[in-house]
């Protein structure tokens, strides 16, 4: 009886293997050229391996038509100012993210204060080197872009790192020279700025 069962199992296994062998067709790969040295992905399309690679998104934007020469001049001036201050907003974003990450790694208040002081010192050094020479308009755009990149207003960042009184004091000084540290970014209201950023390659 045992021999009969074993014999039947062998027949079933051989039969299933033969079916798999008959139903399996090895995929057809494209022939390699002399300069084919880059590994890419491939998709099996009915037994034919089709190579492919992912490309970056390409934005197609129509040429903007301005109603007046003055409107074109104003847009070009805005573009210059946005490109001038965008690197500072990106720096603030990276530095704030680094600060948040560093603060998560330490639990002692003393160490956290040292990290905040280091961040504040780096931002002040950059301010003393470059940001102090920005125009009022460029400063206003920068505060908007910081809110865009960091997700918090400049006022909130100062309040979080330096305290409410310092943030209030900075806001008073900023208002005197035409700035507002509480400025927020609105993609709809600031659509020209958004268009300039998207078309300038900052996120490629």
């Amino acid at each position: 009886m045992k021999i009969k069962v074993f014999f039947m199992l062998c027949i079933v296994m051989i039969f299933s293997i033969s079916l798999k062998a008959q139903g399996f067709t090895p995929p057809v790969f494209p022939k390699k050229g002399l300069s084919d040295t880059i590994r890419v992905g491939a998709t099996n399309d009915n037994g034919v391996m089709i190579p492919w690679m992912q490309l970056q998104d390409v934005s197609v934007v129509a040429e903007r038509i301005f109603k007046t020469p003055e409107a074109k001049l104003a847009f070009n001036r805005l573009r210059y100012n946005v490109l001038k201050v965008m690197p500072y907003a990106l720096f603030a974003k990276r530095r704030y993210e680094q600060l948040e990450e560093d603060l998560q790694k330490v639990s002692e208040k003393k160490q956290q204060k040292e990290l905040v002081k280091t961040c504040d010192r780096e931002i002040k050094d950059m301010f003393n080197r470059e940001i102090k020479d920005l125009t009022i308009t460029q400063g206003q755009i920068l505060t908007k872009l910081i809110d865009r990149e960091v997700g918090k207003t400049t006022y909130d960042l100062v309040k979080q790192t330096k305290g409410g009184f310092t943030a209030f004091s900075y806001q008073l000084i900023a208002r005197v020279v035409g700035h507002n540290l509480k400025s927020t970014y609105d993609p709809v209201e600031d659509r020209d700025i958004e268009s300039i950023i998207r078309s300038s390659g900052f996120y490629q």
Side-chain angles (χ1 to χ4, degrees), residues 27-30 40-53:
V28 178
F29 291 90
V40 297
T43 299
N44 190 335
D45 184 13
N46 295 324
V48 179
M49 301 302 292
I50 301 176
W52 58 269
M53 62 187 301

Side-chain angles (χ1 to χ4, degrees), residues 44-123:
N44 190 335
D45 184 13
N46 295 324
V48 179
M49 301 302 292
I50 301 176
W52 58 269
M53 62 187 301
Q54 185 173 356
L55 302 177
Q56 292 182 344
D57 294 337
V58 177
S59 299
V60 179
V61 182
E63 182 179 357
R64 183 162 181 168
I65 300 176
F66 298 92
K67 294 182 178 179
T68 63
E70 291 76 15
K72 182 177 181 179
L73 181 63
F75 181 83
N76 288 337
R77 188 182 301 113
L78 176 64
R79 185 176 188 276
Y80 172 81
N81 289 332
V82 170
L83 298 183
K84 174 76 173 179
V85 301
M86 187 62 183
Y88 303 135
L90 293 176
F91 172 82
K93 175 184 179 181
R94 291 191 297 268
R95 192 60 188 88
Y96 181 74
E97 289 177 345
Q98 183 63 49
L99 175 62
E100 288 286 285
E101 183 179 338
D102 293 340
L103 290 175
Q104 293 295 326
K105 297 177 181 179
V106 297
S107 56
E108 294 184 7
K109 293 295 184 180
K110 183 178 180 181
Q111 289 179 307
Q112 292 179 346
K113 288 183 179 179
E114 286 298 323
L115 291 173
V116 172
K117 285 182 179 180
T118 300
C119 178
D120 184 59
R121 184 164 56 249
E122 290 182 10
I123 294 177

Side-chain angles (χ1 to χ4, degrees), residues 75-200:
F75 181 83
N76 288 337
R77 188 182 301 113
L78 176 64
R79 185 176 188 276
Y80 172 81
N81 289 332
V82 170
L83 298 183
K84 174 76 173 179
V85 301
M86 187 62 183
Y88 303 135
L90 293 176
F91 172 82
K93 175 184 179 181
R94 291 191 297 268
R95 192 60 188 88
Y96 181 74
E97 289 177 345
Q98 183 63 49
L99 175 62
E100 288 286 285
E101 183 179 338
D102 293 340
L103 290 175
Q104 293 295 326
K105 297 177 181 179
V106 297
S107 56
E108 294 184 7
K109 293 295 184 180
K110 183 178 180 181
Q111 289 179 307
Q112 292 179 346
K113 288 183 179 179
E114 286 298 323
L115 291 173
V116 172
K117 285 182 179 180
T118 300
C119 178
D120 184 59
R121 184 164 56 249
E122 290 182 10
I123 294 177
K124 281 184 177 180
D125 290 342
M126 184 180 67
F127 179 87
N128 291 330
R129 290 195 315 270
E130 304 176 44
I131 298 181
K132 66 177 183 179
D133 295 326
L134 297 180
T135 66
I136 293 178
T137 300
Q138 291 169 351
Q140 292 170 342
I141 295 174
L142 178 59
T143 55
K144 284 178 173 284
L145 294 184
I146 288 177
D147 179 62
R148 179 186 187 274
E149 296 301 320
V150 181
K152 295 183 179 181
T153 65
T154 306
Y155 181 88
D156 291 333
L157 292 177
V158 175
K159 183 177 179 179
Q160 180 178 351
T161 56
K162 303 290 291 182
F165 179 77
T166 301
F168 178 76
S169 302
Y170 283 9
Q171 173 69 345
L172 288 178
I173 298 173
R175 297 298 288 174
V176 170
V177 296
H179 293 285
N180 182 9
L181 302 184
K182 296 182 180 181
S183 295
T184 57
Y185 185 81
D186 185 345
V188 177
E189 179 183 342
D190 302 310
R191 58 184 179 276
D192 284 343
I193 296 178
E194 186 70 20
S195 174
I196 292 169
I197 293 173
R198 291 296 177 183
S199 62
S200 298

